């Protein structure tokens, strides 16, 4: 930081500017321009458009907003709020996000402790536990989809072997559980996959924080006779709180806005019981061609995202001041 | 894990007998291995199931009486042949490689000067602007995909793989700029200054001194823009309905499931064949990824 602010002035002093691009006031903005233009044109503009669409009549056949006549006020929001699916989607989104993150924070603390230890085969272990995050989610959910198959699910087979499933058994008389066909089971499956998917991310972020705890604090605690739990609750957790918040905020964004799990696994079913905001926006806006109503649904994600971004900036500023 | 109930003061380490220490260590190791195995199984389960499925014959797979955890009939390679010869899988692979290559090129060309400018040429606000650019990465595709579909239609790019080439840099550029800034923060700028004192222009100095030294950073940028492209699903689902221009993540999902007829083995083969190499590469660079996520937050 200090070196950077000091060096340009030192460098500038002895040299006259022989080349046009040696002028930092010209070169700096020029080199940054392509990135800024890309972001403004293809993130900033669509973001504005997302809001405009929600108040307009845009459809897939006629996506343009040319005149004031294309704006219809709150009509899209009224239409969206009046179909029962939206409320379900909103409730499910909140439920999946909060429940999965509550589980993830507990599991991530355990898993990061394991990854701090040394044991044979640790590299392979790391490769395996990171798989849910490092593989494309659309492909890995297909693996779960097959595991939860209505006829050939290996879980069902195991349950039949243990006499838990089939005629005259606890979960019988059906020979299959129909994991993705029953409301509670399908919701449980989606929830579990969200946990499965974001656990590695939360863990590695946490691990970054854990390894930055100075060792002498641990040693001092050892000498004072603090046991594992005491060290966990009085030293590690308080020191880790900011980084845990970061891990949570990141994985919350990914869970809250995820479309893939609900779409690939259940297509929002059964009867929209695993529908989330993003999947409902997809079905309305893209499959149904009603861009404006889809945009209205998706827009309900924005307040939460802004809140998360503010939380993140605050944490970053606190980290910078410490 | 065993806890000690000794009061925190006055504890004498010698009081703990060697056998107790040993017993505790064995118990601790046992718990560690048990938990580690459980986590690994949970994480790898769908992938293990994919691999097991790929080599099964139809008669083996589609019999609910068969034990699904073993091969009741000898394993076969037919499903891989079917995937490669009789589906659009090769097209998806080709499309994905074309899209990824172009996205990587755009990303590198935009990101290297941007990161240099933010770290080297802008004073105090460079770091804050870099942080803001990184936050753009967190704007989710599910918020933007609907207006983006309108823009793509307006540009006449619907059903074209070039729609993805245009749009994917919106998340690779923010992420990779931030990543590369991390590489440049500790750069020994005296080298570049020396080159300029020796008579090179700044652009020549960047080319001769900065670029060669940040090659590892550029390599990381290439890897992540490549893997993020392969991971992407939402935009390609929204933009492309024509098989000829589909990429892997959407093509495998939409085309290998035909109505109610599933080609489970080939479907699993497609997923596994792509997932493992991506995971392998990603895993090698994972630490860099995490640093990108935490640097601004932890150290500022």
């Amino acid at each position: 930081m200090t070196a950077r602010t000091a060096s340009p002035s030192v460098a500038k002093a002895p040299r006259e500017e022989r080349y046009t691009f040696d002028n930092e006031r010209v070169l700096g903005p020029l080199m940054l321009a392509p990135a800024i233009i890309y972001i403004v044109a293809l993130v900033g503009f669509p973001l504005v458009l997302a809001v405009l669409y929600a108040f307009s009549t845009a459809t897939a056949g006629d996506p343009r907003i040319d005149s004031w006549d294309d704006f219809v006020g709150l009509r899209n929001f009224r239409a969206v709020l009046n179909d029962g699916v939206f409320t379900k989607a909103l409730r499910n989104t909140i439920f999946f996000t909060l429940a999965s993150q509550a589980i993830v924070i507990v599991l991530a603390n355990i898993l990061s402790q394991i990854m701090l230890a040394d044991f044979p085969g640790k590299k392979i272990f790391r490769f395996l536990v990171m798989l849910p995050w490092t593989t494309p989610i659309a492909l890995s959910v297909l693996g779960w989809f097959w595991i939860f198959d209505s006829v050939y699910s290996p879980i069902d087979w195991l349950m039949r072997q243990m006499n838990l499933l089939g005629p005259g058994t606890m979960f019988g008389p059906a020979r299959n559980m129909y994991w993705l066909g029953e409301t509670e089971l399908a919701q449980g499956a989606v929830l579990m996959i969200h946990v499965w998917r974001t656990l590695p991310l939360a863990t590695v972020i946490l691990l970054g924080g854990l390894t930055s705890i100075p060792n002498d604090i641990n040693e001092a605690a050892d000498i004072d006779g603090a046991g594992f739990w005491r060290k966990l609750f009085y030293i590690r957790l308080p020191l880790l709180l900011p980084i845990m918040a970061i891990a949570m905020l990141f994985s919350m964004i990914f869970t809250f806005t995820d479309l893939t799990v609900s779409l690939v696994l259940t297509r929002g079913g059964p009867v929209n019981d695993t529908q989330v905001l993003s999947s409902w926006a997809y079905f309305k806006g893209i499959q149904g061609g009603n861009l404006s109503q889809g945009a209205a649904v998706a827009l309900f994600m924005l307040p939460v995202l802004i809140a998360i971004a503010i939380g993140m900036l605050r944490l970053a500023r606190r980290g910078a001041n410490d | 894990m065993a806890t000690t109930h000794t009061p925190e003061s006055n504890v004498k380490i010698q009081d703990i007998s060697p056998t107790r220490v040993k017993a505790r260590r064995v118990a601790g190791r046992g718990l560690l291995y048990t938990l580690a195995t459980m986590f690994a199984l949970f994480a790898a389960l769908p992938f293990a199931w994919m691999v097991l499925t790929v080599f099964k014959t139809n008669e083996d797979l589609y019999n609910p009486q068969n034990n699904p955890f073993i091969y009741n009939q000898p394993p076969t390679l037919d499903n891989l042949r079917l995937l490669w010869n009789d589906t659009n899988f090769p097209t998806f692979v080709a499309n994905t490689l074309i899209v990824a290559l172009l996205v990587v090129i755009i990303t590198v060309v935009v990101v290297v000067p941007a990161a240099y400018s933010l770290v080297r040429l802008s004073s105090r606000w460079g770091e804050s602007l870099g942080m803001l650019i990184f936050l753009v990465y967190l704007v989710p595709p599910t918020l933007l995909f609907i207006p983006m579909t309108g823009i793509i239609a307006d540009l006449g790019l619907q059903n074209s793989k070039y729609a993805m080439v245009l749009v994917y840099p919106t998340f690779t550029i923010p992420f990779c700029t931030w990543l590369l800034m991390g590489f440049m923060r500790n750069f020994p700028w005296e080298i570049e200054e020396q080159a300029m004192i020796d008579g090179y222009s700044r652009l020549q100095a960047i080319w001769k001194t900065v670029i060669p030294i940040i090659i590892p950073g550029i390599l990381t940028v290439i890897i992540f823009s490549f893997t993020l492209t392969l991971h992407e699903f939402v935009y390609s689902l929204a933009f492309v309905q024509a098989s000829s221009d589909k990429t892997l993540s959407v093509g495998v999902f939409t085309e290998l499931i035909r109505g109610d007829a599933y080609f489970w083995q080939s479907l699993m083969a497609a997923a596994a064949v792509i997932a493992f190499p991506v995971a392998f590469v990603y895993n090698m660079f994972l630490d860099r990824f995490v640093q990108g996520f935490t640097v601004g937050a932890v150290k500022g």
Side-chain angles (χ1 to χ4, degrees):
Chain A
M1 200 84 173
T2 45
R4 195 185 69 226
T5 41
S7 54
S9 53
V10 176
K12 222 180 279 175
R15 226 165 8 95
E16 81 234 52
E17 309 223 323
R18 286 162 296 174
Y19 305 94
T20 329
F21 290 126
D22 279 9
N23 187 339
E24 285 176 12
R25 280 167 194 279
V26 177
L27 188 64
L30 210 61
M31 290 175 96
L32 192 56
I36 300 291
I37 291 169
Y38 220 114
I39 289 169
V40 170
L42 285 170
V43 180
F45 175 59
L47 203 56
V48 173
L49 211 54
V51 179
L52 293 182
Y53 268 16
F55 296 95
S56 78
T57 57
T59 59
D62 177 21
R64 281 198 180 210
I65 303 173
D66 318 284
S67 72
W68 285 107
D69 298 340
D70 287 338
F71 287 103
V72 290
L74 293 171
R75 202 175 77 190
N76 294 318
F77 291 95
R78 262 197 300 272
V80 159
L81 287 169
N82 278 337
D83 74 45
V85 183
F86 174 80
T87 5
K88 266 189 180 180
L90 184 64
R91 216 179 37 220
N92 289 339
T93 311
I94 294 169
F95 166 70
F96 288 143
T97 307
L98 294 183
S100 68
Q101 294 321 301
I103 301 170
V104 162
I105 194 68
V106 175
L107 292 182
N109 272 294
I110 301 172
L111 184 54
S112 59
Q113 292 296 331
I114 295 175
M115 292 183 77
L116 274 181
D118 260 323
F119 52 91
K122 196 177 161 190
K123 280 212 168 125
I124 298 169
F125 174 73
R126 190 181 114 129
F127 177 78
L128 291 178
V129 291
M130 288 301 137
L131 275 175
W133 183 256
T134 52
T135 50
I137 180 74
L139 300 177
S140 54
V141 173
L142 286 174
W144 284 113
F145 186 43
W146 177 220
I147 288 177
F148 290 125
D149 187 76
S150 58
V151 180
Y152 302 104
S153 166
I155 311 170
D156 290 358
W157 187 86
L158 277 178
M159 287 175 78
R160 282 197 298 270
Q161 296 304 303
M162 293 188 286
N163 274 323
L164 291 171
L165 198 58
T169 57
M170 196 172 151
F171 295 99
R175 298 186 55 78
N176 290 95
M177 291 293 287
Y178 303 105
W179 295 97
L180 304 177
E182 305 283 342
T183 297
E184 284 82 15
L185 295 177
Q187 287 176 337
V190 171
L191 175 63
M192 186 214 63
I193 295 177
H194 278 304
V195 171
W196 178 82
R197 159 84 167 160
T198 45
L199 176 61
L201 176 72
T203 303
V204 285
I205 294 179
L206 218 54
L207 208 56
L210 272 174
T211 43
S212 70
I213 294 181
N215 223 358
D216 39 348
I217 296 184
N218 262 326
E219 279 163 17
D222 281 337
I223 290 167
D224 289 344
F228 176 83
W229 297 108
R230 194 174 284 269
K231 275 199 293 188
L232 183 68
F233 282 110
Y234 288 94
I235 297 171
R236 282 195 180 133
L237 288 186
L239 278 172
L240 277 179
L241 224 49
I243 193 84
M244 269 196 317
I246 292 288
M248 281 298 91
L249 290 178
F250 275 119
S251 57
M252 252 170 110
I253 288 187
F254 287 109
T255 316
F256 186 71
T257 64
D258 180 80
L259 163 68
T260 317
V261 176
S262 278
L263 190 76
V264 174
L265 195 72
T266 59
R267 294 183 192 253
V271 276
N272 295 310
D273 281 335
T274 59
Q275 204 74 264
V276 288
L277 286 177
S278 55
S279 63
W280 190 233
Y282 169 78
F283 284 118
K284 281 246 152 189
I286 308 293
Q287 284 223 318
N290 196 333
L291 291 180
S292 50
Q293 283 195 16
V297 173
L299 208 57
F300 279 86
M301 293 193 283
L302 195 59
V304 176
L305 290 172
I306 291 174
I308 292 177
I310 290 173
M312 216 169 260
L313 282 174
R314 280 206 170 161
L315 278 167
R317 197 170 308 144
R318 196 184 300 167
N321 289 340
D322 282 349
Chain B
M1 193 152 288
T3 47
T4 48
H5 295 289
T6 44
E8 59 268 59
S9 55
N10 306 330
V11 81
K12 287 177 194 146
I13 292 165
Q14 299 95 295
D15 281 357
I16 303 164
S17 69
T19 44
R20 256 191 74 189
V21 170
K22 204 180 168 194
R24 265 179 63 179
R25 192 176 299 147
V26 170
R29 284 272 119 175
L31 184 69
L32 176 75
Y33 290 138
T34 315
L35 284 173
T37 312
M38 280 163 55
F39 274 110
L41 275 179
F42 178 51
L45 181 67
F47 305 104
W49 202 243
M50 280 178 196
V51 175
L52 186 71
T53 304
V54 170
F55 305 104
K56 285 198 174 180
T57 60
N58 280 334
E59 303 81 60
D60 184 354
L61 194 66
Y62 299 122
N63 180 350
Q65 306 305 321
N66 279 348
N67 179 350
F69 294 93
I70 57 167
Y71 288 102
N72 301 284
Q73 289 185 4
T76 170
L77 289 173
D78 285 351
N79 305 309
L80 284 165
R81 264 180 231 122
L82 177 82
L83 177 70
W84 193 253
N85 295 329
D86 300 327
T87 69
N88 284 325
F89 186 71
T91 315
F92 303 151
V93 173
N95 287 339
T96 304
L97 289 178
I98 294 169
V99 171
L101 182 71
L102 293 173
V103 170
V104 166
I105 291 172
I106 294 175
T107 306
V108 170
V109 167
V110 171
V111 151
V112 172
Y116 177 86
S117 171
L118 286 171
V119 172
R120 178 76 167 140
L121 297 181
S122 49
S123 41
R124 276 155 278 115
W125 48 267
E127 202 64 24
S128 313
L129 188 57
M131 182 79 189
L132 276 179
I133 290 179
F134 174 66
L135 281 182
V136 171
Y137 169 70
L138 297 175
V139 178
T142 42
L143 187 60
L144 299 179
F145 73 131
I146 287 175
M148 214 70 112
T149 309
I151 294 172
I152 292 300
D154 228 22
L155 294 171
L157 284 174
Q158 66 272 61
N159 272 331
S160 159
K161 52 180 166 292
Y162 298 104
M164 293 175 262
V165 174
L166 181 71
V167 170
Y168 285 4
T170 56
F171 54 85
T172 58
I173 288 175
F175 184 74
C176 293
T177 303
W178 183 242
L179 206 64
L180 202 57
M181 282 175 74
F183 277 90
M184 287 186 178
R185 275 191 201 102
N186 302 317
F187 191 84
W189 294 112
E190 305 78 36
I191 304 175
E192 189 202 35
E193 271 156 27
Q194 188 56 48
M196 283 192 286
I197 291 168
D198 290 349
Y200 287 115
S201 75
R202 187 180 277 273
L203 290 183
Q204 285 167 327
I206 293 173
W207 185 252
K208 298 242 184 219
T209 61
V210 182
I211 300 289
I213 296 178
I214 58 156
I215 288 287
I218 295 176
L219 190 66
T220 313
V221 166
I222 292 173
I223 294 294
F224 275 109
S225 34
F226 189 79
T227 46
L228 289 177
T229 299
L230 263 71
H231 275 226
E232 212 286 327
F233 177 72
V234 177
Y235 286 137
S236 52
L237 183 73
F239 297 162
V240 180
Q241 276 83 43
S243 322
S244 61
D245 280 59
K246 274 180 184 166
T247 50
L248 280 163
S249 59
V250 166
V252 170
F253 164 61
T254 53
E255 305 245 330
L256 296 181
I257 301 174
R258 294 175 200 164
D260 279 336
Y262 296 90
F263 298 85
W264 279 113
Q265 302 100 316
S266 303
L267 185 67
M268 293 299 114
V273 160
I274 305 307
F276 282 111
V278 176
F280 186 75
V281 177
Y282 200 140
N283 201 57
M284 284 197 300
F285 287 82
L286 191 65
D287 290 332
R288 280 288 163 194
F289 182 85
V290 181
Q291 272 172 27
F293 266 43
T294 50
V295 128
V298 184
K299 284 170 192 156

